Amino acid sequence: MELSQRTRDFWRSGLIAASRTALACIIVGCMTLYGPTAFKKQVAFPAFSYVAMILIVTNATLGDTIRGLWFAFYCTLQTVCPAMLCLWYMGPTRLTAVSTSLVLGIAAFFIALPKSTHVVAKRVALGQLVIIYVVGYITADEIDAIMHPVKENSKLFAENASERLRLFVQAFCAKDNESSQAFISQPNTWLESMQWEKFLIKFLRPYCKNPGDRLQELETPLRGMEIALNNKHIPVSILDEQLKGGIDNIEGEISQNLYQLRSHMPCETPTVPESTQGEVMNFLEKLETIPTNDKDLPSYFFIFCMKLFHIQSRAMTIPPNSQKVDKKALQKKQDQQQKKTSEHQNGLSLSGVLGHWPTSTLGKERLVSALNCSLSLGFAVLFGLYYSKPNGFWSGLPVAVSFAAAREATFKVANVKFQGTVIGNVYGVLGCFIFQSIVQIRFIALLPCFIFTSFLQQSKMYGQAGAVSAVIGAILILGRRNFGPPTDFAIARIVETFIGLSCSIMVDLLLNPTRAASLAKVQLCKTFGTLQDSLSSIEFTELSKDELMKSAKNIKENIIQLDKFVTEADAEPNFWFLPFNTACYKRLMSSFTKIGDLLHFTAHAISLLDEQIQRLDVNGVRDELDKINGDLELVGNLTATSMKSFQEVASIKSLLVLEKDLENSGKTFDLELGKSANFPLMNLDEKELGKIISSFLEHLQEAMEKIEFPDEEEKEIKSQIVISFSALGFCLKCLMKETKEVEKAIKELVQWENPTSHINLHELSCKIHALYD
């Protein structure tokens, strides 16, 4: 049933995207074919109208469409005005293939350079540059080529979150392993388009917030619940009718909150439900004793995440003007957030777009990306014009409209672009043959193409790059005008596309000579360093909470960068190099992600504990709290030390070279010393790890027995402390578990890179320290 629903959703989303694109295509076709004569004269290159439409409308939401309209206007100003001045100054008749390519390359550099300009705007702008300059060169004597291109996600996220929550609760209450594994995949959210939906409606509601940022908060507790389910023991020993009923009540209220979000997003005022925070949490008062068995910790952690989910979902349904907060503090926070948003938001004003890059420090990555675009486009047009002057711009257009702001898997992307172009051209030729007697409506042949490519871009083989190339190939042939027989035009386009993509590959290899596999290795070591710093900051203080939240964010950023390099390395040819171990890197990234999430939950648990302890007199339990803090620091040091050793081991280029250097240096190493100093968790089995958690639970019990609770709030405060402490214990246990998983993966990776050697991490680490210390 679940698979059937997913299949229906897949077809539904694909058909909706195809229908949206097809409707836009029909509008463009009718306007360029049947519009007023004065209007048609202004559309000198109607095929690019379809290209711009594809770039803007495909898979677009309302926010995306509004953003696309602004991009079309902005990139027109960015390209047409300077190009008019340049052509006026130089004179089209004085253009040559070299000068055209040179001017185009320089203009492309400044288009690609700004960080604040969105990639879609850059693609449209670069496409316009190719049209303006190359057509200006080709038709220099008759130049007239100055032309112009032409809240559902929030609701889907809330629906998805509600469904996942329902499945998670069923899994928690299940009595067998098979049904407990039922959970739904994470939804695909388009947060960027949400800010443009906000831009449209911000004048309607003064308190309208960016729903993307707030909705993302709901994803965190859901991931935590999933981690708990993957570690829980069946059946749940603490689960009784009272607890099950309480969990069902929380689920019901969270679902009600999510329904409010579905019904009123992004900024309509929802109906604020009566406050039932205390009532719905009453069942938690039965959890007033620290668990004596670490097998119960996943269940407590699941409840902790549900509580966090309830708090966050309820907060999202309450308009800011109904929340009781410190107005001065809130205003200060809003001012800071508004300043930050205005500095990073893409294209809400011309000053915001133009005011960024001239004064900011130009990073190496941006300069390389802009230079890559400039040289690729310049050489593509130059060699394209040398091959065929009338069709020269077709070599530059594929490079322009597929511009990427970051590194890509060069060979894979070029391959799927070329294949997509061939598929699109063949389809276009067939469409022209079928509709040769009724040329005026042959753009109708594009409708099946839109449906096909909307599903093609969701495939792993072609993705967005191949699908967009295919649909653009078909559009340029079926939407062309005055380009000769379709077969000849298709062959010319294929050859020119090959020239353009070849230039793009060669420039990319020259500017980025370092293999993605090498960059992935460097980023892996950097991520280990970030993990070491993050884990070493675990302690029972309020300051630790802020540090851990920051650390979790840094880990996420490192993982995103690592994933980019891994994806590129997986797609690049091996040539004479060792094949890239993608599976091993994926396992490492999975563990890194879990560690980041666990640090996030550790910060929340420490924060909630601090709030409750502030209400109590804990002077008599300082020793016990110090022991608890000692347990936290112990786990932090064990895991951080391991991460440091992993970083050292992963950084070596060759074990044979290391052994030779050690032999030449005459240094020796103590293998026994390294066992405890470098990999403290390696020799600890599941039982010994359990002893660390058992000691932590014993210290918690000692503290709970000595704490004096106020009579009127004893059950409430005690249950909140028990749940938070138990969640903290679960996080500590999982941090050690994931560190051991990283240990296995890093050993496999080093063995893969040194196939002729037997890898012993202890020995390897000792050799590294002996050589470099």
Side-chain angles (χ1 to χ4, degrees):
M1 180 178 179
E2 180 183 352
L3 180 62
S4 177
Q5 180 62 38
R6 292 183 184 179
T7 303
R8 287 197 297 269
D9 292 341
F10 173 81
W11 279 94
R12 177 176 175 270
S13 61
L15 290 174
I16 289 177
S19 301
R20 185 188 297 114
T21 307
L23 178 60
C25 174
I26 291 174
I27 294 173
V28 172
C30 291
M31 292 179 66
T32 56
L33 291 175
Y34 306 112
T37 304
F39 173 78
K40 290 192 290 184
K41 287 183 178 180
Q42 297 300 318
V43 186
F45 201 82
F48 191 71
S49 300
Y50 294 101
V51 174
M53 177 268 297
I54 290 294
L55 294 175
I56 293 173
V57 177
T58 303
N59 282 337
T61 62
L62 173 62
D64 292 319
T65 305
I66 298 169
R67 180 186 61 186
L69 292 175
W70 162 246
F71 287 160
F73 173 73
Y74 167 63
C75 66
T76 300
L77 294 179
Q78 192 181 30
T79 56
V80 174
C81 296
M84 289 176 63
L85 293 175
C86 182
L87 292 174
W88 173 78
Y89 177 75
M90 295 180 61
T93 56
R94 297 166 59 185
L95 289 174
T96 64
V98 175
S99 62
T100 300
S101 303
L102 180 62
V103 173
L104 180 61
I106 295 173
F109 177 84
F110 288 101
I111 292 294
L113 183 61
K115 182 179 180 181
S116 57
T117 306
H118 193 276
V119 66
V120 173
K122 291 181 179 180
R123 288 171 179 171
V124 177
L126 292 171
Q128 287 180 322
L129 282 179
V130 173
I131 301 294
I132 293 171
Y133 285 107
V134 179
V135 173
Y137 165 65
I138 294 173
T139 59
D141 296 331
E142 48 188 79
I143 182 168
D144 188 18
I146 304 301
M147 55 168 292
H148 58 277
V150 192
K151 17 185 176 169
E152 187 65 20
N153 298 315
S154 302
K155 296 179 180 179
L156 291 176
F157 188 103
E159 291 175 1
N160 185 277
S162 181
E163 178 65 12
R164 290 173 67 192
L165 173 65
R166 182 184 68 81
L167 293 173
F168 286 169
V169 170
Q170 288 183 353
F172 182 76
C173 299
K175 297 181 180 180
D176 58 87
N177 281 316
E178 183 178 354
S179 58
S180 70
Q181 295 302 315
F183 56 88
I184 197 169
S185 300
Q186 295 183 1
N188 179 26
T189 59
W190 303 312
L191 301 181
E192 188 177 14
S193 66
M194 294 178 184
Q195 81 173 22
W196 284 84
E197 293 169 10
K198 169 197 167 186
F199 178 69
L200 173 67
I201 47 141
K202 71 175 184 177
F203 300 105
L204 304 179
R205 300 287 182 187
Y207 58 80
C208 178
K209 301 295 181 183
N210 186 345
D213 294 338
R214 304 185 69 190
L215 278 174
Q216 192 62 24
E217 298 175 3
L218 300 181
E219 182 63 28
T220 304
L222 282 171
R223 288 202 305 268
M225 294 165 69
E226 187 173 342
I227 293 174
L229 290 174
N230 289 330
N231 287 273
K232 82 181 184 76
H233 294 265
I234 299 175
V236 178
S237 60
I238 65 172
L239 187 63
D240 56 18
E241 290 300 322
Q242 180 183 355
L243 185 62
K244 187 177 184 304
I247 291 176
D248 289 339
N249 289 337
I250 292 184
E251 181 201 343
E253 185 154 322
I254 294 175
S255 298
Q256 181 183 0
N257 295 336
L258 294 175
Y259 178 79
Q260 296 273 342
L261 299 177
R262 292 201 305 269
S263 303
H264 300 282
M265 278 191 163
C267 71
E268 296 179 20
T269 305
T271 303
V272 182
E274 294 293 330
S275 179
T276 58
Q277 174 74 18
E279 297 176 8
V280 79
M281 294 296 178
N282 283 341
F283 79 100
L284 297 179
E285 294 180 358
K286 75 180 294 293
L287 304 175
E288 56 182 359
T289 58
I290 295 293
T292 58
N293 192 330
D294 63 352
K295 293 183 178 180
D296 290 331
L297 291 178
S299 302
Y300 281 83
F301 183 70
F302 184 90
I303 296 172
F304 171 82
C305 293
M306 280 203 75
K307 175 188 173 184
L308 186 62
F309 197 178
H310 178 263
I311 293 173
Q312 293 178 347
S313 64
R314 177 172 172 77
M316 293 181 64
T317 63
I318 303 177
N321 57 1
S322 67
Q323 298 180 13
K324 296 180 181 180
V325 294
D326 186 336
K327 293 184 178 179
K328 292 184 178 180
L330 177 62
Q331 184 62 43
K332 182 178 180 180
K333 183 176 181 180
Q334 289 177 341
D335 292 342
Q336 293 175 346
Q337 182 65 29
Q338 184 176 3
K339 181 180 179 181
K340 182 177 179 181
T341 302
S342 64
E343 291 175 351
H344 292 86
Q345 213 169 34
N346 289 335
L348 291 183
S349 65
L350 271 176
S351 61
V353 173
L354 300 177
H356 262 129
W357 66 269
T359 58
S360 62
T361 303
L362 299 180
K364 178 181 177 181
E365 184 178 352
R366 285 169 54 198
L367 286 173
V368 171
S369 176
L371 187 60
N372 189 328
C373 175
S374 173
L375 294 177
S376 298
L377 204 54
F379 282 119
V381 169
L382 176 63
F383 291 118
L385 288 173
Y386 278 150
Y387 174 76
S388 174
K389 180 178 178 180
N391 297 301
F393 49 82
W394 298 120
S395 61
L397 203 57
V399 178
V401 299
S402 60
F403 168 79
R407 281 179 60 112
E408 288 186 313
T410 306
F411 289 95
K412 177 183 177 181
V413 173
N415 182 33
V416 297
K417 285 178 183 177
F418 185 74
Q419 290 188 37
T421 300
V422 173
I423 293 173
N425 285 349
V426 172
Y427 183 91
V429 171
L430 293 176
C432 290
F433 174 77
I434 295 173
F435 289 91
Q436 58 182 335
S437 59
I438 42 177
V439 178
Q440 295 299 319
I441 61 170
R442 67 184 177 194
F443 64 87
I444 294 178
L446 289 170
L447 300 184
C449 180
F450 289 136
I451 297 175
F452 171 70
T453 53
S454 66
F455 293 104
L456 191 67
Q457 70 177 339
Q458 300 180 48
S459 68
K460 292 183 179 181
M461 182 175 180
Y462 286 96
Q464 186 178 20
V468 171
S469 298
V471 73
I472 288 177
I475 283 176
L476 292 178
I477 292 181
L478 290 170
R480 68 194 176 88
R481 195 166 62 191
N482 302 324
F483 285 111
T487 304
D488 296 342
F489 177 66
I491 295 175
R493 274 217 66 231
I494 291 174
V495 175
E496 293 285 355
T497 298
F498 178 78
I499 293 173
L501 293 178
S502 298
C503 292
S504 180
I505 290 174
M506 294 306 299
V507 170
D508 195 53
L509 291 177
L510 290 173
L511 294 181
N512 298 292
T514 305
R515 299 182 69 237
S518 301
L519 295 176
K521 188 71 173 293
V522 173
Q523 183 62 33
L524 176 63
C525 296
K526 182 180 178 181
T527 305
F528 277 130
T530 303
L531 289 168
Q532 178 197 349
D533 295 338
S534 303
L535 292 166
S536 61
S537 64
I538 298 179
E539 56 183 2
F540 191 38
T541 63
E542 178 61 23
L543 180 62
S544 175
K545 179 249 182 181
D546 297 330
E547 289 294 327
L548 289 174
M549 294 293 282
K550 182 180 179 181
S551 296
K553 182 179 180 181
N554 290 338
I555 292 172
K556 181 178 180 181
E557 292 173 353
N558 276 272
I559 294 173
I560 291 174
Q561 189 65 31
L562 178 60
D563 184 57
K564 288 167 59 178
F565 290 139
V566 169
T567 302
E568 182 179 351
D570 182 47
E572 69 182 0
N574 295 320
F575 295 121
W576 53 84
F577 299 102
L578 189 71
F580 186 73
N581 195 337
T582 306
C584 192
Y585 272 89
K586 292 290 186 182
R587 286 168 51 197
L588 286 168
M589 287 192 293
S590 176
S591 293
F592 294 162
T593 301
K594 290 180 182 178
I595 291 174
D597 289 338
L598 290 168
L599 289 174
H600 185 90
F601 290 117
T602 299
H604 273 292
I606 291 175
S607 178
L608 293 174
L609 282 169
D610 185 72
E611 292 178 6
Q612 298 299 327
I613 290 177
Q614 293 295 333
R615 302 164 63 182
L616 303 172
D617 182 9
V618 294
N619 290 325
V621 292
R622 289 297 177 186
D623 291 341
E624 285 72 18
L625 292 179
D626 288 341
K627 292 179 181 178
I628 293 172
N629 190 48
D631 294 329
L632 293 178
E633 293 179 346
L634 173 62
V635 174
N637 290 332
L638 290 174
T639 53
T641 302
S642 298
M643 293 300 169
K644 180 182 179 181
S645 298
F646 297 152
Q647 182 184 30
E648 294 170 348
V649 169
S651 63
I652 66 169
K653 295 182 178 180
S654 170
L655 181 57
L656 295 177
V657 174
L658 176 67
E659 292 176 342
K660 184 177 180 180
D661 291 342
L662 183 62
E663 181 181 352
N664 294 335
S665 68
K667 297 180 179 180
T668 59
F669 58 92
D670 187 347
L671 184 59
E672 292 301 320
L673 179 62
K675 288 186 178 180
S676 59
N678 301 329
F679 296 96
L681 288 175
M682 180 171 287
N683 294 324
L684 301 181
D685 56 19
E686 190 73 22
K687 184 178 180 180
E688 291 172 312
L689 293 179
K691 290 180 180 180
I692 297 176
I693 301 302
S694 297
S695 175
F696 175 72
L697 295 178
E698 290 175 3
H699 293 153
L700 294 182
Q701 291 173 353
E702 293 173 3
M704 293 295 291
E705 291 173 357
K706 292 185 178 182
I707 293 178
E708 296 181 1
F709 295 93
D711 295 337
E712 64 279 4
E713 298 178 309
E714 178 178 359
K715 289 187 176 181
E716 177 192 350
I717 298 178
K718 185 178 291 187
S719 64
Q720 299 298 333
I721 291 178
V722 166
I723 292 173
S724 298
F725 266 137
S726 300
L728 193 56
F730 176 80
C731 291
L732 297 179
K733 180 180 178 181
C734 287
L735 284 173
M736 291 189 290
K737 176 183 176 182
E738 290 303 324
T739 301
K740 290 187 72 67
E741 291 298 318
V742 172
E743 181 182 290
K744 297 176 184 177
I746 200 67
K747 181 178 180 180
E748 177 186 329
L749 181 62
V750 177
Q751 183 67 71
W752 175 274
E753 295 173 345
N754 300 272
T756 60
S757 304
H758 174 70
I759 299 301
N760 183 309
L761 292 182
H762 283 316
E763 182 179 348
L764 181 56
S765 180
C766 291
K767 290 179 179 179
I768 294 172
H769 281 276
L771 182 62
Y772 298 109
D773 285 352

